[in-house]
Amino acid sequence: MKIQYKLLPLLFFSLCLSACHSLLRVSGKVVDEEGKAVSKASVFIIYGNWVSESTTREDGTFSNAQVHGGTENLQLLVSKEGKQLYLETLDYHTSPVSKTIVLKKGTQSELQTPEHHS
């Protein structure tokens, strides 16, 4: 099979374009302090001005795909009424990312991070 050399620049450009828009899949499960699934919690992936939002299912699972921008310094924010906000910086270079998040009782004015468990 003979390669059409006129198509090589187009192929190269397509590969570069797809590499510039990284795809990071973040999925996981949200549970309470007793290990029970937390349904209908809001899960946000934040990158600059771009936000991907999903809601946990009845079994506490969620799935987000981040496609606009890089895979560094993403913020994972989980919110549920009656629970503390959960915030974590994701700095991953591989996909997929799977997380198990434990939401603690409290108010949404309280912030819970992996480094600070109150």
Side-chain angles (χ1 to χ4, degrees):
M1 184 170 140
K2 194 173 190 178
I3 296 177
Q4 295 289 331
Y5 290 103
K6 294 178 183 177
L7 295 178
L8 285 178
L10 180 60
L11 177 62
F12 180 75
F13 176 76
S14 296
L15 290 173
C16 289
L17 185 61
S18 65
C20 292
H21 291 285
S22 301
L23 175 62
L24 176 69
R25 294 193 184 280
V26 180
S27 63
K29 187 170 186 173
V30 178
V31 297
D32 64 15
E33 294 169 291
E34 298 173 358
K36 295 178 184 173
V38 176
S39 65
K40 299 183 182 174
S42 297
V43 180
F44 303 91
I45 303 294
I46 305 163
Y47 180 77
N49 293 329
W50 186 85
V51 177
S52 170
E53 179 182 5
S54 67
T55 303
T56 57
R57 298 174 195 92
E58 291 298 318
D59 64 355
T61 60
F62 68 92
S63 180
N64 291 63
Q66 184 271 330
V67 294
H68 299 286
T71 58
E72 296 179 8
N73 300 317
L74 298 170
Q75 299 291 312
L76 170 65
L77 177 69
V78 182
S79 171
K80 173 74 176 179
E81 190 171 330
K83 304 287 185 187
Q84 295 179 11
L85 284 177
Y86 180 89
L87 179 66
E88 181 177 354
T89 299
L90 302 177
D91 193 10
Y92 292 93
H93 299 282
T94 60
S95 181
V97 174
S98 182
K99 305 289 297 177
T100 299
I101 298 160
V102 178
L103 287 185
K104 295 184 176 186
K105 291 181 185 176
T107 65
Q108 292 196 5
S109 62
E110 297 175 277
L111 181 63
Q112 173 188 337
T113 64
E115 299 81 32
H116 174 74
H117 297 286
S118 56

